[in-house]
Amino acid sequence: MPTAAHKKSKSSPRRRSEPELIFGDLWEFDPAPESADPKLQARYRLFIGGKFVAPKSGKYFPSFNPATAKPIAEIAMASPADVDAAYQAAAKAAPAWANLPGAERGKYLYRIARLLQDRAREFAVAETLDGGKPIKESRDFDVPVAAAHFFYHAGWADKLAYAFPGATPQPHGVVGQVIPWNFPLLMLAWKIAPAIATGNTVVLKPAETTSITALKFAEIVQEAGVPPGVINIVTGAGVTGAAVVNHPTAAKVAFTGSTDVGKLIMRSTAGTGKKLTLELGGKAANIVFEDAPLDQAVEGIVNGIFFNQGHVCCAGSRLLVQESIAEAVLKRLRNRVEVLRVGNPMDKNTDIGAINSKEQLDKIAGLVKAGQAEGAEMFQPKCKLPREGWFFKPTLFSGVEQSHRIVREEIFGPVLSILTFRTVSEAVEKANNTAYGLSAGVWTEKGSRILKMSTELKAGVIWANTYNKFDPTSPFGGYKESGFGREGGKQGLADYVKLT
Amino acid sequence: MPRLPISKTPKCYVGGKFIRSESARTFPLNDATGEFFAHMPQCTRKDVRNAVEVAAKAGGGWAGRSAYNRGQILYRLAEMLEPRTAELVNALTLGGATVAEAKKEVAATIDRIVHYAGWTDKFEQILGNVNPVALPHFNFTVTESMGVIGVVAPDEAPLLGLLTCILPAVTAGNSVVVITSETAPYPAIALGEMLATSDLPGGVVNLLSGFRKEMVPTFATHEHIRGIGGVVNAADRKALEIGGAESMKRVKVFNTADAIDWYAGEGPKASLYAIADFLEYKTTWHPVGA
Amino acid sequence: MNEIGNVDAVGVEERAAKYGTRSIKTASKVKGLKLAASMVDLTTLEGKDTPGKVRALCAKAVRPHDDLDCPPTGAVCVYPAMIKHARAALGDKSPVNIASVATAFPSGQVHLRTRLAEVKAAVADGADEIDMVINRGAFLSGEYNRMQDEIAAVAEACGEAVLKVILETSELETYDNIRAASFLAMRVIRQGDFIKTSTGKTSANATLANNQVMLDAIRDHYFETGMAIGMKPAGGIKSAKQALHFLVAVKETLGDAWLTNRRYRFGASSLLNDLLRQLVKMETGAYQAPYTFSEAAGAY
């Protein structure tokens, strides 16, 4: 049995034998792959008017497994004509769906929630295969929370009058929805559940790289017996998305994705009278005060930036640590990152899976290079990356300045920038010094300071002594250039109704 | 020999002070009979910029006051208007309203102020809530003001319409920069003089007379203006949404083309939701554990 | 006390739950099971213990299974009156240490001089390791110096014997208290000594969360002083799967240097048999019935 070895610390040459921990291979874990069948089809068509239909163009594009960089299925490329067909189906279904008693509408959502739970493992495997996120996350987070969203909103369908005192809520009609690739099924649930609960019908476009669970969801829509046309799913790339956003039938457009595309959408829908909700990018500050519970803060920092490979709009990508504890936090953080398991997303022990696409991997690598070039000090753990597929090591940058690109730009990857502060007002100023305002984290044991920080931080979600928590009952959405509108909770419901 | 009355140089109420346009430009305003009445300040994009500066400065203090205090201040505003009814009636008849119409509009305006004064310490209780999350956390959603709101006042009902557009944003704790009615700007001048005597902190309401075509483009692109309210035509709406996209402005406007009943109960929109238009929702999580 | 810091209860339980999702398979499972077996303090602490029971326990500790290549356990753990019988059974040069609960286990509610006399007698009888209980009353009433002085006195009375300081976490109630008590104890014990969760005699015992709080404290103390303190969760760890999750916590918090029975122990009685069951299953591929394994000790 080995004994404790005292390794010389590279970071602080002042002290000769600073105690270090050894995270070696004394007890290495064998592969523990999830083996459930994702029940994939070789080719996925569009889901329009309750039926799977071939795209009018006859064109398909491949969807890749990011862990192997190999194609796993073909996805239909919807042209504007296909999108138009989807809108026609949705418009046709809209009056009957809106006039259905709320209690009956709700039952369909309950059915969907149950069917998702029935097929949970199959969906989790499909999600991981197509998107690259660790099976642990798709199994324990994405799929169960997606089902929970339908369950939550199912109950609202016959209680809408209670949500809006003094007003009468009415559906908008047909809603066009475009979702991102980071939480494919969950974002679909966030979009579709409140829309149909309130009596709207939808045309939804999943992200180009992660269409599969949306089309598997279409199978559930059929199994649930949802009236044809209430939910339509069209797949494709930017052209398809633009057709969804710009179709004149859309009374409302809901988009989750990058701030750049969000701005494009706002411009292109300008003057059309379409109601708009946008859930866009972020560059959240995660602020750790010296009286914080350090180990839980470190865990929250890790969860904040490495959850889903950092492909999270609300990721805590800017760590602000009070100067007096910066060393201590950094040391614990390095040790924690050292034991993160990066690799095959299908392995039940994997903490950090594959980067969703080659394009995203290149973007992350580019920004990390910029960070190095700007003089920040980089730390990456010794972990080995798989030889094939798209992977990136969890990365910590210290010695970072507020003006650095890695501090200002959303990286959307497992890269953390670490800054320090001395006083409460400095922390607030640095945290708010961004055009984004989606989320923020605060770690302190002082109750009054938590409430003060929660008031001062200009962000839609504040995680105090925790990070990256989500729930269907909890509204999510941003301030400033992180977009507008909320998803989840009573407030999220409001964005899917007209109040008269 | 009849005494020669003193005529007033109309000034805009900005940052708690009375200003002429920084450009020193004016436009002549005639009364309903076509007689010259006064030279109105013709405010420019630079006046908008200056007004946004003072509005932003005043905003934090206004939002930070207790809801009770904001309610009292708005009620005090109603108290300031009521005894000045005659002056406001004159300001409205100048634009062509009959005395009866003007009296009705002033009364409705004062009542609307009182209505919103009562909301300041209540909207939070209806719009915010605790969320029963399925995790060992306490989770609550509260509202927060947006910051500086640009308001484009309607031409019709130049007093009632103006205040119906201002009040929700101000009740929500925002400060406003207003482009007043083009065709009937004088009631806003009179209102400014009454705001100055109310306890509303300077800079919370800023009233600019002038032309939409000169100021709306600045409303659209000024990053610090976080939301837009009021009444605009289709072209201006499009311009505001296109320009506002860059800074993700919340554009919550009525269309000129739609018939708006300013006298309807709480205005054209249920007042709670008119306030909600200029609020952000903030949700806070905290673990529950010993 | 102020510099010790605090623990967020929900956060540490969240962290602990993550260990529970680790899936240990095939060769790594065999290695983990054997490592866990080598860390067991095979325990019998019952009023009805007899020399015969202790002899059987010692035999099991030395050679846990007839056919398996399973290492001996770290120690046997017995009441002081049974030390002589254990020493007789194990002989002078055994791979298995004798641990004994002293200091008026489990309450500790006797005079200090009586507790110290008990420790000295236990060491004289041949105990290699002493498991003491802290003065919870002193801790909870804020008499931290008294609590520490008593631990220091016991450590001195131990002489060469290894000391394990039982915090009795269930009586401390909060994670903040567990962290604080860990530090107070570690500051007065010696390199190679242990801190331990529980006596096994109260309603709540070792959990992944209180184990984590103590591992974090050990790490922080190590960073501060360079002194490596051991850890012993005790009570309630009955299944091999549980034990593996505790080991994952050690691996990911303190690293390889603590994956040894000189720095990590399980206070357990029935755990060993489940480790053996799983080892046989790994070897034969067939699930095992409990009755094929010799009864090791009473409930702990």
Side-chain angles (χ1 to χ4, degrees), chain C residues 31-74:
Chain C
K31 191 164 184 181
L33 293 170
K34 289 182 179 175
L35 185 59
S38 79
M39 291 170 165
V40 169
D41 279 5
L42 195 61
T43 302
T44 184
L45 293 172
E46 295 188 347
K48 64 183 180 184
D49 285 346
T50 59
K53 170 75 189 288
V54 169
R55 272 198 296 279
L57 187 81
C58 290
K60 177 94 175 173
V62 172
R63 192 174 164 73
H65 194 270
D66 285 342
D67 306 322
L68 286 170
D69 172 28
C70 178
T73 68

Side-chain angles (χ1 to χ4, degrees), chain C residues 263-276:
Chain C
R263 293 205 184 155
Y264 201 75
R265 294 286 180 82
F266 291 105
S269 51
S270 57
L271 170 63
L272 181 61
N273 269 344
D274 197 51
L275 293 168
L276 298 172

Side-chain angles (χ1 to χ4, degrees), chain B residues 59 62-63 144-149 168-176 204 275 278-279:
Chain B
W62 175 240
E144 211 168 69
S145 55
M146 280 177 180
V148 180
I149 306 297
V170 170
T171 303
N174 301 290
S175 48
V176 294
V204 173
I275 296 167
F278 300 104
L279 288 168

Side-chain angles (χ1 to χ4, degrees), chain B residues 16 27 47 98 178-179 245:
Chain B
F27 63 97
D47 291 306
T98 64
V178 188
I179 304 173

Side-chain angles (χ1 to χ4, degrees), chain B residues 90-126:
Chain B
N90 283 341
L92 287 166
T93 52
L94 184 74
T98 64
V99 171
E101 284 165 352
K103 278 185 173 165
K104 184 185 167 204
E105 183 170 346
V106 174
T109 303
I110 294 169
D111 289 353
R112 190 141 297 157
I113 296 170
V114 172
H115 175 77
Y116 275 95
W119 263 129
T120 57
D121 52 3
K122 294 166 195 71
F123 67 80
E124 182 74 275
Q125 292 177 306
I126 305 173

Side-chain angles (χ1 to χ4, degrees), chain A residues 264-285:
Chain A
L264 279 177
I265 290 174
M266 187 162 167
R267 287 188 198 106
S268 68
T269 59
T272 61
K274 285 178 192 174
K275 168 123 168 111
L276 197 57
T277 48
L278 300 168
E279 202 268 90
L280 309 176
K283 192 75 193 178

